Amino acid sequence: MPDWNKPLPTVVGETRAYWDACRRGQLLIQHCGQCGEYQFYPRGICAHCWTENPGWVAASGKGTVWTYTVTYQNRTPGFDQGPYVLALVELEEGVRMFSNIVECDPREVSIGMAVEVTFQRATDQISVPYFKPAG
Amino acid sequence: MATATRKRRLGRQVAIVGAGLSQFGAFPDKDSRDLFVEAFQDMIQTMDQPIDIDDIECAYVGNYSSDLFETQGHTAPIVADWLGMTPIPITRIENACASSGSALREGAMAIASGMYDVVLVGGMEKMTNLPTEGVTDVLASAADGLYEVPAGLTFPGIFGAIAKAHMDRYETSLDHLLKVGIKNHNNGALNPKAQFNVTIRDLMERRMARAEQRGQPVPEWQTELDFLNDDRANPWIAWPLRLYDCAPITDGASCILLVAADIAHNFTDRPVSLAGIGQASGKPLHDADELTSLSAAKEASRQAYEMAGITADDVDLAEVHDCFTIAEIVASEDLGFFAPGEGPRAVDEGRTALDGDRPINTSGGLKSKGHPVGASGVGQVVEIYHQLRGEAGERQAKKSKLEVGLTHNVGGTGGTCVVNVLRRE
């Protein structure tokens, strides 16, 4: 595996469960048992009803491209090796996340395209969720 | 809740009686404090009546990140000292690229509260100390380090994603984006304070002349759009945005003098009133209801219009936050100047040009005038102040009625938006 030189998240308490699950190849999102809303980013309260410690559920990992860009210029280490697809992906559960579309030619990406999560191992602690065309 | 939509008003009316701007550009010999002094000197030298240093009772300064750009925190009292204004209270306000928009709002409320009569507000940013990748990192720190930065999110990337969504939903084309840049450079070429005081056509012709001088093949560009659609002359940054769709990295400062409206005539016979102010916060983009609009801009303009007792149709001209060309188009729709999806056609028809019926960014905008992030919000107000007073020189808007102007200042990707309505008295 090549050395990972992209920026890494600083894992803090409220989000540890999310990153721990990523390491196991599972995409967790929060689901409030009180009001029934899904939530991403993970946090200590439900932003819809202020219930503390909303629960976690495993997302299906399937979604669609909500919008995207092909980034040519980013001098941040790890992103400076040519164009990559930065996308907003809408998961089946309704929440959206910024990620990259990988394992396909940027010219093949389109809004509404079906994608599924794939994890890339960065360190022993961190695996980063990306999306690839749904198989 | 009822309190969220309660009609708001200022406890006292507030007027602008002076406005100043530093030169915008890259100035290796100047710190942010020096730039602020330059803006202040421009203000006092162009005021209708001289002011005394003791007249100023309080100040607010917008600044995004002197800490990271200059390794200098606690910059507000330094500014007060540099101007010889201690011991007045002075406070730095940080709201990313909307820092000075928010500083202005604090100043207006300080007067409206009855506590002060004369308040200096402004903004400053010294950005060119760092190499481009350093500036990009500082700007990216306005994004979420936990979930966005690991995905390779950049500001051009975010606005590229907004542009793609607009193109997908409406008839927006790459040329529409480029035409915003051409228009803003046409205006900036008439603004002696602008960082890029040059038209796209002149830039194109210079490139061709240089190629000829060097005996290189001369590009066969006929129009500005030929030039801007050339991948070598105008490379992709974050498709569908190219280099000339992005505002530059800039050093600069801006300031205005706010006074209680009932004493404005002690300073000038031609004050400009702050008729409406609005500010709103917005969710990060992944949680937004739609991508072709910034919810904070719609809410801030609703507040400002309501306070001023006007609608979008009453606005004669505007300075909007064109950090990227698509942002100007989205702003023109969020503010209600044009229906959703109609912004690009308004650009095609020249409606937003200097001689159009709704001039936008007569200063050259952030695109051509420059974008010293903490100074941009008040910088916009400086332009509208001069336009409403008919003293904008060569770039004076051509329409006959110029009574109501608007500024639209965005922080981050819409996390903050400040909208002001200014009226000539």
Side-chain angles (χ1 to χ4, degrees), chain A residues 4 6-12 15 18-19 40-43 48 66-76 79 84 86 88 95-100 110-111 128 130, chain B residues 132-133 136-137 144-154 156-158 160-165 168 235-241 283-291:
Chain A
W4 188 271
K6 292 178 181 175
L8 288 170
T10 307
V11 178
V12 295
T15 63
Y18 172 80
W19 290 107
F40 185 78
Y41 312 135
R43 54 198 105 178
H48 302 279
W66 202 40
T67 187
Y68 70 99
T69 170
V70 186
T71 302
Y72 285 75
Q73 296 272 347
N74 183 353
R75 299 184 199 184
T76 303
F79 289 106
Y84 60 92
L86 172 73
L88 262 175
V95 301
R96 305 185 199 102
M97 54 195 299
F98 270 110
S99 186
N100 295 165
S110 61
I111 288 179
V128 179
Y130 292 123
Chain B
T132 299
E133 56 268 35
T136 309
D137 284 347
D144 194 295
L146 269 178
Y147 303 102
E148 295 179 343
V149 176
L153 180 142
T154 63
I158 295 174
I162 291 174
K164 173 58 185 165
D168 193 66
W236 296 112
I237 302 296
W239 178 91
L241 301 182
K283 291 177 177 178
L285 208 59
H286 72 269
D287 253 350
D289 293 333
E290 55 180 353
L291 277 168

Side-chain angles (χ1 to χ4, degrees), chain B residues 214-378:
Chain B
R214 293 176 178 172
Q216 295 163 340
V218 179
E220 294 178 358
W221 303 315
Q222 298 292 320
T223 67
E224 291 106 316
L225 285 176
D226 294 342
F227 168 66
L228 292 176
N229 277 304
D230 184 326
D231 287 356
R232 279 169 305 173
N234 191 17
W236 296 112
I237 302 296
W239 178 91
L241 301 182
R242 296 176 181 270
L243 178 63
Y244 281 94
D245 288 303
C246 309
I249 293 164
T250 309
D251 302 332
S254 57
C255 67
I256 57 174
L257 194 63
L258 300 179
V259 303
D262 54 9
I263 62 165
H265 286 276
N266 296 344
F267 296 86
T268 176
D269 294 332
R270 294 180 297 149
V272 169
S273 69
L274 195 57
I277 62 175
Q279 178 172 328
S281 55
K283 291 177 177 178
L285 208 59
H286 72 269
D287 253 350
D289 293 333
E290 55 180 353
L291 277 168
T292 51
S293 168
L294 299 182
S295 62
K298 288 205 262 195
E299 171 57 17
S301 59
R302 185 196 67 73
Q303 294 171 15
Y305 290 151
E306 182 179 79
M307 190 183 287
I310 65 166
T311 69
D313 290 342
D314 297 315
V315 175
D316 296 313
L317 84 170
E319 288 282 304
V320 309
H321 198 92
D322 60 324
C323 47
F324 299 91
T325 49
I326 183 64
E328 176 170 318
I329 289 174
V330 170
S332 72
E333 297 172 357
D334 286 343
L335 294 166
F337 299 164
F338 312 114
E342 294 293 318
R345 190 196 303 176
V347 175
D348 267 340
E349 292 171 349
R351 296 185 61 188
T352 57
L354 208 53
D355 57 357
D357 67 312
R358 186 81 66 132
I360 292 181
N361 287 334
T362 56
S363 69
L366 312 183
K367 173 72 197 79
S368 168
K369 184 177 66 176
H371 186 22
V373 292
S376 284
V378 166

Side-chain angles (χ1 to χ4, degrees), chain A residues 76-95:
Chain A
T76 303
F79 289 106
D80 51 3
Q81 302 296 318
Y84 60 92
V85 178
L86 172 73
L88 262 175
V89 172
E90 184 166 51
L91 300 182
E92 281 184 336
E93 292 79 8
V95 301

